[in-house]
């Protein structure tokens, strides 16, 4: 009961639908262009193709930093002189829960389930802390790699504390220590994938945190949002596309055909970037430094040139440039990660950004609860 008199309540009920349906406040579908919060974590400058974490340009972070340092930067706001982030062994309850999943489960579903189980064991309190963020980020690769082994009827591999987190993931998945170039390349990928402003999954994590729910719940929700094909990216689509094109001499005809059929070229276009995606530029350099990638890169670079030229012809009004997925495909292929693991590997890296945002949201401690315009029927009553 609200304390209003019966007559007041009836009057309010009568007025409500009529008033709300006449609501003339501006509404932006998809919240496009709406400022929905404040953050000090990252800025995405779509017009000029720039991305900064805590003020540092992404290219500089990839060239001179490690994922462990970048994660600390995102969580604490300051550049750490040195940082280590060691993969944590998966608790028995998490391993047992993974054993119950069908081997054909999507790795994103597996990761979400593993973090949910871990959260149930840990009984994380509120507000989220940097220590919780470190532990969640450190356990996720162990759990995902363990599933990769179990689905092949192999035993999980314990983390090697001497390896950086991304290299450890490859080690626990394959049972072999990756070579230095692959380790460095995956570390660079984790850096560029770690954070990207108020995207759908990050916003989801913030909404959940704003209710004073725990960090594992926020990350499970974020993984659910990232799983959707409009958000989760398209690097395996890029791989398929380059396989279909096959050789440079077929590229122009193939791309023209795809555009004539109204298809989208994977790895091009972005909701925010109108310029070359700075993450694609950073990953292109990384891919070029990897061994065994020459043929793939030769094809990719030439396909990219032709695609950019033809996209500019078709859409002179809208700049459609290379996005991060184009060279992500090269790097993840180069480190020999199975394509079905690409989206979940993205989530392993983005754990750093999601958890940083959860910590920032908890500090603001304001529940996110926007208004909605009512467009349903006016007040009516049940028959009889
Ligand atoms: N290939 C061909 N045409 C394209 C492409 C593309 N990759 N991207 C956009 N267009 C065209 C659209 O067909 C549309 O043309 P129209 O106006 O004649 O209908 C026009 O450009 C505008 O497209 P929108 O859908 O309004 O662009 P939006 O900003 O909503 O979409 C998106 C962005 C989803 C990334 C889109 O560019 C796309 O589908 N790209 C291909 C898939 C891809 O690479 N995804 C990864 C994105 S990066 C990430 O998720 C981390």
């Amino acid at each position: 009961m609200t304390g209003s008199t019966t007559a007041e309540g009836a009057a309010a009920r009568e007025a409500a639908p009529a008033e709300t349906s006449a609501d003339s406040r501006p509404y932006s579908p998809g919240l496009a262009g709406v400022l929905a919060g404040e953050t000090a974590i990252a800025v995405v400058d779509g017009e000029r193709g720039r991305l900064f974490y805590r003020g540092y340009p992404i290219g500089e972070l990839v060239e001179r930093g490690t994922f462990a340092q970048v994660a600390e930067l995102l969580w604490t706001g300051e550049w750490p002189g040195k940082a280590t982030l060691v993969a944590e062994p998966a608790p028995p309850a998490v391993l047992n829960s993974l054993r119950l999943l069908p081997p054909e489960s999507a790795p994103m579903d597996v990761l979400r389930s593993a973090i949910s189980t871990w959260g149930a064991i840990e009984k994380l309190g509120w507000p989220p802390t940097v220590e919780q963020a470190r532990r969640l980020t450190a356990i996720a690769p162990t759990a995902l790699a363990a599933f990769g082994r179990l689905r092949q009827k192999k035993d999980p591999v314990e983390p090697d504390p001497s390896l950086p987190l991304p290299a450890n993931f490859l080690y626990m998945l394959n049972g072999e220590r990756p070579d230095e170039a692959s380790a460095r390349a995956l570390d660079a990928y984790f850096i560029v994938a770690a954070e990207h402003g108020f995207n759908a999954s990050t916003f989801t994590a913030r909404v959940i945190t704003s209710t004073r729910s725990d960090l594992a719940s926020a990350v499970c929700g974020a993984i659910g949002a990232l799983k959707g094909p409009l958000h989760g990216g398209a690097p395996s689509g890029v791989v398929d596309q380059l396989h279909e094109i096959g050789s440079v001499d077929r590229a122009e005809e193939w791309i023209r055909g795809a555009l004539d059929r109204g298809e989208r070229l994977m790895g091009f276009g972005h909701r925010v970037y109108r310029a070359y995606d700075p993450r694609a530029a950073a990953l292109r350099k990384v891919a070029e430094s990897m061994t065994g990638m020459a043929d793939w890169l030769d094809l990719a670079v030439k396909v990219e040139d032709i695609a950019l030229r033809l996209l500019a012809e078709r859409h002179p009004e809208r700049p459609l440039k290379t996005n991060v997925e184009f060279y992500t495909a090269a790097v993840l292929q180069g480190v020999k990660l199975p394509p079905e693991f690409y989206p979940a590997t993205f989530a392993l890296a983005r754990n750093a950004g999601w958890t940083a945002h959860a910590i920032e949201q908890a500090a603001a401690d304001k529940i996110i609860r926007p208004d909605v315009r009512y467009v349903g029927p006016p007040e009516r009553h049940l028959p009889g």
Side-chain angles (χ1 to χ4, degrees), residues 7-246:
E8 279 168 351
R13 280 199 299 279
E14 200 171 54
E19 274 175 12
T20 46
S21 59
D23 191 341
S24 60
R25 288 175 294 170
Y27 160 55
S28 176
L31 299 184
V34 172
L35 284 180
E38 289 186 325
T39 184
I41 299 173
V43 57
V44 183
D45 177 353
E47 287 304 322
R48 284 179 286 182
R50 299 191 308 167
L51 169 64
F52 300 86
Y53 294 172
R54 302 276 190 190
Y56 297 103
I58 190 70
E60 206 171 303
L61 294 170
V62 169
E63 273 172 30
R64 300 188 24 209
T66 64
F67 176 66
Q69 287 173 306
V70 167
E72 285 297 323
L73 172 71
L74 294 172
W75 291 324
T76 65
E78 294 306 326
W79 184 247
K82 275 188 176 172
T84 45
L85 186 58
V86 176
E88 268 197 38
V94 171
L95 288 177
N96 289 340
S97 72
L98 295 175
R99 287 193 172 92
L100 296 175
L101 294 171
E104 66 279 11
S105 301
M108 283 290 262
D109 291 335
V110 171
L111 183 63
R112 194 193 56 227
S113 306
I115 290 177
S116 183
T117 306
W118 177 77
I121 301 165
E122 290 290 323
K123 300 187 186 64
L124 304 167
W126 193 91
T129 62
V130 172
E131 189 48 31
Q132 289 176 3
R134 280 192 199 108
R135 293 201 54 220
L136 187 152
T137 307
I139 201 146
T142 313
L144 186 61
F147 174 75
R149 307 278 302 173
L150 291 169
R151 70 174 193 160
Q152 296 179 289
K153 302 201 181 329
K154 293 180 181 164
D155 286 333
V157 173
E158 286 283 307
D160 175 343
S162 70
L163 288 174
L165 196 78
N168 227 335
F169 173 57
L170 283 182
Y171 166 66
M172 291 185 284
L173 195 60
N174 301 327
E176 283 170 24
R177 287 170 73 94
D179 60 66
E180 191 51 41
S182 296
R184 180 64 202 140
L186 195 63
D187 211 85
Y189 169 66
F190 268 53
I191 293 173
V192 305
E195 161 57 13
H196 210 235
F198 256 49
N199 52 78
S201 58
T202 300
F203 190 57
T204 304
R206 291 191 71 126
V207 171
I208 293 171
T209 305
S210 81
T211 68
R212 296 195 180 175
S213 185
D214 65 282
L215 193 64
S217 300
V219 169
C220 287
I223 292 173
L226 184 68
K227 193 184 159 194
L230 292 188
H231 185 19
S236 51
V238 174
V239 174
D240 295 344
Q241 182 174 273
L242 286 178
H243 277 311
E244 271 188 50
I245 293 173

Side-chain angles (χ1 to χ4, degrees), residues 231 233-234 259 263-271 279 311 315 318 320 323-325:
H231 185 19
L259 293 176
E263 292 172 10
R264 296 200 170 200
L265 302 181
M266 292 296 120
F268 297 91
H270 195 271
R271 173 55 66 84
R279 302 168 298 171
L311 284 169
H315 292 280
R318 181 189 174 92
L320 291 169
N323 67 43
V324 64
E325 305 296 7

Side-chain angles (χ1 to χ4, degrees), residues 320-369:
L320 291 169
K321 304 290 187 199
T322 314
N323 67 43
V324 64
E325 305 296 7
F326 197 76
Y327 287 104
T328 292
V331 170
L332 297 187
Q333 276 248 115
V335 303
K336 301 193 175 50
L337 196 71
E340 66 274 22
F341 275 82
Y342 289 2
T345 305
F346 183 95
L348 296 181
R350 187 55 65 86
N351 276 332
W354 288 330
T355 51
H357 276 274
I359 292 166
E360 188 179 62
Q361 181 64 44
D365 195 14
K366 177 82 178 160
I367 191 165
I368 297 174
R369 202 310 187 186

